[in-house]
Amino acid sequence: MLRVTRSIHFSSSLRYWLEDLSEAENLKRFGAQARQHGHNYELEITVAGIPDPETGMVVNLTHLKAVAEKEIMARFDHRDLNADTDFFVHTPPTPENFASVVFRLLDEALPDGLLSRIRLYATPEHWVDVIREQP
Amino acid sequence: MLRVTRSIHFSSSLRYWLEDLSEAENLKRFGAQARQHGHNYELEITVAGIPDPETGMVVNLTHLKAVAEKEIMARFDHRDLNADTDFFVHTPPTPENFASVVFRLLDEALPDGLLSRIRLYATPEHWVDVIREQP
Amino acid sequence: MLRVTRSIHFSSSLRYWLEDLSEAENLKRFGAQARQHGHNYELEITVAGIPDPETGMVVNLTHLKAVAEKEIMARFDHRDLNADTDFFVHTPPTPENFASVVFRLLDEALPDGLLSRIRLYATPEHWVDVIREQP
Amino acid sequence: MLRVTRSIHFSSSLRYWLEDLSEAENLKRFGAQARQHGHNYELEITVAGIPDPETGMVVNLTHLKAVAEKEIMARFDHRDLNADTDFFVHTPPTPENFASVVFRLLDEALPDGLLSRIRLYATPEHWVDVIREQP
Amino acid sequence: MLRVTRSIHFSSSLRYWLEDLSEAENLKRFGAQARQHGHNYELEITVAGIPDPETGMVVNLTHLKAVAEKEIMARFDHRDLNADTDFFVHTPPTPENFASVVFRLLDEALPDGLLSRIRLYATPEHWVDVIREQP
Amino acid sequence: MLRVTRSIHFSSSLRYWLEDLSEAENLKRFGAQARQHGHNYELEITVAGIPDPETGMVVNLTHLKAVAEKEIMARFDHRDLNADTDFFVHTPPTPENFASVVFRLLDEALPDGLLSRIRLYATPEHWVDVIREQP
């Protein structure tokens, strides 16, 4: 089996913060993460499949980058994850939650079953993998 | 499926050396590795699961770091793997053997089934993965 | 001559934004950087000198880390550079401006002339050095 | 389960180019990749198994490096993948195709079933995994 | 003093080869480097100066990237350094020679005295710095 | 001015320990560093000069690597810095002291004035530069 991975980078602002909680409650639950901070996110996008006999590629990288540009970069790069998107109003933008959103956005935009895995680095020492369940 | 990884670093001294063998026999079997040397070990700890709806995290990182501090750092950081522990008297501290010990120590200290994998880098170009067998 | 470097990491939120300008003017001048984003900053702190004959060290790393903790981490880690500090009201937190602030804060807190250079990475591909002028 | 990985590096010249196509057709199909370029390839070789009780190792690294030297380095390092090998006459040396060749060469030279996976980095941001199908 | 650095990447094919020498003479003088190979070059471009009070930047990064695109990427990315340029007919494209060419091209295209240094990585373990002589 | 750098790696065991002090005194002065530990050292060797017109190189890398092999690798790789060398009996193998020894050994073995700088990484976050004083 072949898996091809392309990594991209973007920069976002965020805080772990639930609108339904007071400032004191957010700080108690999330500690320093409840304060506004930011990350250089590194995102690895992995697709699985058989290379096209004509091009020798599992996926056209130009197309993959266009999808990533539209679905990920345009939404999250140089944006505030809390204020500028609807994904983290009732759930905080932890790496787990953010990676789940990223996987879903890419999976819906790519051909069925092509996306195999994403890895999202919040820092070089902390990351999350979302892996497609085998059918 | 979600997998969350946190990496930590520590520094140990070691040699591949069996007490039952003579110096000549150890040097013959293990070559330069039989001489006292050391590594900056990098350890990736991966847990698998579903994020807690309240915190958005698969595991409380503060708790995970406390376990790693007690089970790994306190035992192995700035220590001699041969002289300061009981794990490598009859078997040498190869990356394979050391990683197996690390997996077992973390697995016993964490909630049942939480630990999914560890990766232990002896050098940036040589590492071992210990992966939980699927039930 | 000996130079010793220790690197630390922190995470901040920021935007290039001048209070005296309108939103349209800020966006025109600074483009995407005028939107709220964030970085995993990597800061290298370099001191120059002669090792103490007794300790073999140019600087006591525990002391250096305490200074960095108080002057840098406490001010900037998990903070918004614009909202949570006074440094970037009339000048934007470009890497150039931010690095100048960092150098000054560390230089004033360390023994006279000890600090030789700082390097501040905004991303792995974009960084600034502030170097002490030779007398 | 234990997996041991060793990485090696080599440098090759290549272009995506099919002998059956004209220059214009190759440029149309492959774009800039049809022009002669090159990579510092990084190859991770992963073997799976149980450590030998006597040596504590899944595989003798000296033997593994000798196999990699003969099968990979001698064929591809400081070579032109198109002109100096027979693998890419009718199919271009995409990372997918090149990784498939590398996996097959190593798999045939190593004990049956020992090779578990290879990862081939064309650049730090683009790589391919070839993974042995589970029986 | 402030120094700002931006790194870029490109991929080229090359061999150490002098047109005036026979194949045997080239192989004798340059060994494996006389064979066609390639690199993922990493180029760090460093400029020195005082930040513009209005923008807070030493140099407009968009302009710097446009210069690098025209002078470096268009000439060398996905190109053969020997066949596709005139720089290495009578002198081989060693990192020293290639870095000297890169420095000269950038220096001539940038405002007088702005360019302070370039660093060119042929591999992660082998690189060359070209540093402007202090007046 | 041209500077060429080649990096090498080795693995050593060490402790900060003075023979003239008791165990309690060593532990008090050096803390955890007084316990036996180890590092994957990374050493960058930088030479300065003008490329040879015939080879296009400032230094013959094969010769440089032979010097590094004899002076550094043979002495320190897979060795205990305290027990296996004479350099750290009365002074501890801090990065400062170790880097000074490495610079002196290389400088004496290389042509006069060729060595410009060494950088010795004890860990990826802690390193020392030794820089030749300008005459």
Side-chain angles (χ1 to χ4, degrees), chain B residues 11-13 32-33 35-40 77-80 122-123, chain F residues 11-13 32-33 35-40 77-80 122-123:
Chain B
S11 160
S12 311
S13 174
Q33 305 282 358
R35 305 197 309 241
Q36 195 74 23
H37 60 289
H39 290 310
N40 301 321
D77 187 32
H78 281 75
R79 295 290 182 187
D80 183 303
T123 75
Chain F
S11 161
S12 311
S13 174
Q33 305 282 358
R35 304 198 309 242
Q36 196 75 22
H37 58 292
H39 289 311
N40 302 321
D77 187 32
H78 281 74
R79 296 290 182 189
D80 183 303
T123 75

Side-chain angles (χ1 to χ4, degrees), chain F:
Chain F
M1 182 167 29
L2 273 180
R3 289 188 189 148
V4 182
T5 302
R6 190 67 174 71
S7 74
I8 61 175
H9 304 78
F10 57 95
S11 161
S12 311
S13 174
L14 75 153
R15 60 175 174 169
Y16 295 4
W17 190 271
L18 302 184
E19 290 302 323
D20 302 337
L21 301 185
S22 69
E23 178 169 0
E25 288 170 318
N26 274 301
L27 281 166
K28 186 180 170 201
R29 183 175 296 179
F30 297 118
Q33 305 282 358
R35 304 198 309 242
Q36 196 75 22
H37 58 292
H39 289 311
N40 302 321
Y41 285 102
E42 182 177 341
L43 172 65
E44 298 178 2
I45 304 171
T46 301
V47 297
I50 313 245
D52 178 289
E54 196 164 300
T55 64
M57 303 174 208
V58 168
V59 67
N60 181 310
L61 275 191
T62 306
H63 175 62
L64 183 63
K65 280 193 257 187
V67 169
E69 180 64 37
K70 181 183 170 200
E71 300 297 334
I72 307 301
M73 300 301 280
R75 275 192 177 94
F76 302 121
D77 187 32
H78 281 74
R79 296 290 182 189
D80 183 303
L81 300 184
N82 305 78
D84 296 338
T85 81
D86 295 330
F87 299 110
F88 305 109
V89 176
H90 302 297
T91 187
T94 58
E96 289 91 328
N97 284 340
F98 190 15
S100 299
V101 167
V102 165
F103 186 91
R104 184 159 49 81
L105 289 170
L106 288 172
D107 193 33
E108 289 173 2
L110 288 169
D112 200 32
L114 182 65
L115 186 65
S116 168
R117 185 208 67 145
I118 65 150
R119 174 170 289 185
L120 182 70
Y121 288 87
T123 75
E125 306 200 327
H126 185 198
W127 64 89
V128 169
D129 295 310
V130 185
I131 302 165
R132 177 184 298 281
E133 302 281 352
Q134 300 303 324

Side-chain angles (χ1 to χ4, degrees), chain E:
Chain E
M1 183 169 29
L2 272 180
R3 292 189 187 145
V4 182
T5 302
R6 190 69 173 72
S7 74
I8 61 175
H9 305 77
F10 57 95
S11 161
S12 311
S13 175
L14 75 153
R15 60 175 175 169
Y16 295 5
W17 189 271
L18 302 184
E19 291 302 323
D20 302 337
L21 301 186
S22 68
E23 177 169 0
E25 288 170 319
N26 274 301
L27 282 166
K28 186 181 169 199
R29 184 176 294 181
F30 297 118
Q33 305 282 358
R35 305 198 308 243
Q36 195 74 23
H37 59 291
H39 291 309
N40 302 321
Y41 285 101
E42 182 178 342
L43 172 65
E44 299 178 2
I45 304 172
T46 300
V47 298
I50 312 248
D52 177 288
E54 198 163 299
T55 64
M57 304 173 208
V58 168
V59 67
N60 182 310
L61 275 192
T62 306
H63 174 63
L64 183 63
K65 280 194 260 188
V67 169
E69 181 63 37
K70 182 184 170 203
E71 300 297 334
I72 307 300
M73 300 302 280
R75 274 195 178 93
F76 302 120
D77 187 32
H78 281 75
R79 295 288 182 190
D80 183 304
L81 300 185
N82 305 78
D84 295 338
T85 81
D86 295 331
F87 299 111
F88 305 109
V89 176
H90 302 297
T91 186
T94 58
E96 288 92 329
N97 283 341
F98 190 15
S100 298
V101 168
V102 165
F103 185 92
R104 184 159 50 81
L105 289 170
L106 288 172
D107 194 33
E108 289 173 2
L110 288 169
D112 200 32
L114 183 65
L115 186 64
S116 168
R117 186 207 66 144
I118 64 149
R119 173 171 289 186
L120 182 70
Y121 288 86
T123 75
E125 306 201 327
H126 185 196
W127 64 89
V128 169
D129 296 310
V130 185
I131 302 165
R132 178 184 297 282
E133 302 280 353
Q134 300 303 324

Side-chain angles (χ1 to χ4, degrees), chain A:
Chain A
M1 184 170 26
L2 272 180
R3 292 190 187 143
V4 182
T5 302
R6 191 66 173 74
S7 74
I8 61 175
H9 304 78
F10 57 95
S11 160
S12 311
S13 176
L14 75 154
R15 61 176 174 169
Y16 296 3
W17 190 272
L18 302 184
E19 290 302 322
D20 302 336
L21 302 186
S22 69
E23 178 168 2
E25 288 170 319
N26 274 302
L27 280 166
K28 186 180 170 201
R29 184 175 296 181
F30 296 118
Q33 305 283 359
R35 304 198 310 243
Q36 195 74 22
H37 59 291
H39 290 309
N40 302 321
Y41 285 102
E42 182 178 341
L43 172 64
E44 298 178 2
I45 304 172
T46 300
V47 298
I50 313 250
D52 177 289
E54 198 163 298
T55 65
M57 304 174 207
V58 167
V59 67
N60 181 310
L61 275 191
T62 306
H63 175 63
L64 183 63
K65 280 193 260 188
V67 169
E69 181 62 37
K70 182 184 171 201
E71 300 296 333
I72 306 302
M73 300 302 280
R75 275 194 177 93
F76 302 120
D77 187 32
H78 281 74
R79 295 289 182 189
D80 183 305
L81 300 185
N82 305 79
D84 295 338
T85 81
D86 296 329
F87 299 111
F88 305 109
V89 176
H90 302 297
T91 187
T94 58
E96 289 92 329
N97 284 340
F98 190 15
S100 298
V101 167
V102 166
F103 185 92
R104 183 159 50 80
L105 289 169
L106 288 173
D107 194 33
E108 288 173 3
L110 289 169
D112 200 33
L114 183 65
L115 187 64
S116 168
R117 185 207 68 145
I118 64 148
R119 174 170 289 185
L120 183 70
Y121 288 86
T123 75
E125 305 201 327
H126 185 196
W127 64 90
V128 169
D129 296 310
V130 186
I131 302 166
R132 177 185 297 283
E133 302 280 352
Q134 300 303 322

